[in-house]
Amino acid sequence: VVQKQMVDDKRIITDAGLNRHVNIVGINETTISTGFTKVQIELLNKSSSPYSFSYHFEWFDDQGMLVQTPTSSWIDRTIQGQETMDIISVAPTETAKDFRLKLISK
């Protein structure tokens, strides 16, 4: 049986409540055919109960400057007990090369 481990990445910011229940177990990045960056974050609910949270991606250009977008909003999700879930985001512009993901408990 494979045991998933917590991935430590400074681009992912969580609160203490979420950290007790949900782990980040994988981060995948790619560039799609249009030249945009795509990110996939895999989450694991360590508990046996459903857990509700909100998340928000911020995107940065290659100089580290925040890329402003009109669609930057928080998204509500619930992850079931012992479930894994993927959160996927595509950069809003071709110039957005890096990201920060914020996750908070609901």
Side-chain angles (χ1 to χ4, degrees), residues 39-81:
V39 177
Q40 176 179 300
I41 311 293
E42 183 181 6
L43 308 175
L44 169 67
N45 183 347
K46 300 179 292 186
S47 74
S48 58
S49 302
Y51 193 79
S52 296
F53 64 95
S54 298
Y55 72 92
H56 169 73
F57 276 93
E58 294 175 338
W59 287 93
F60 300 89
D61 65 19
D62 57 0
Q63 301 296 313
M65 299 299 292
L66 183 65
V67 175
Q68 295 291 337
T69 64
T71 59
S72 295
S73 60
W74 288 88
I75 299 170
D76 297 332
R77 295 290 299 266
T78 299
I79 184 170
Q80 298 302 313

Side-chain angles (χ1 to χ4, degrees), residues 90-103:
V90 176
T93 68
E94 194 172 333
T95 60
K97 300 298 182 189
D98 204 4
F99 73 95
R100 177 168 49 214
L101 173 61
K102 295 180 179 179
L103 296 144

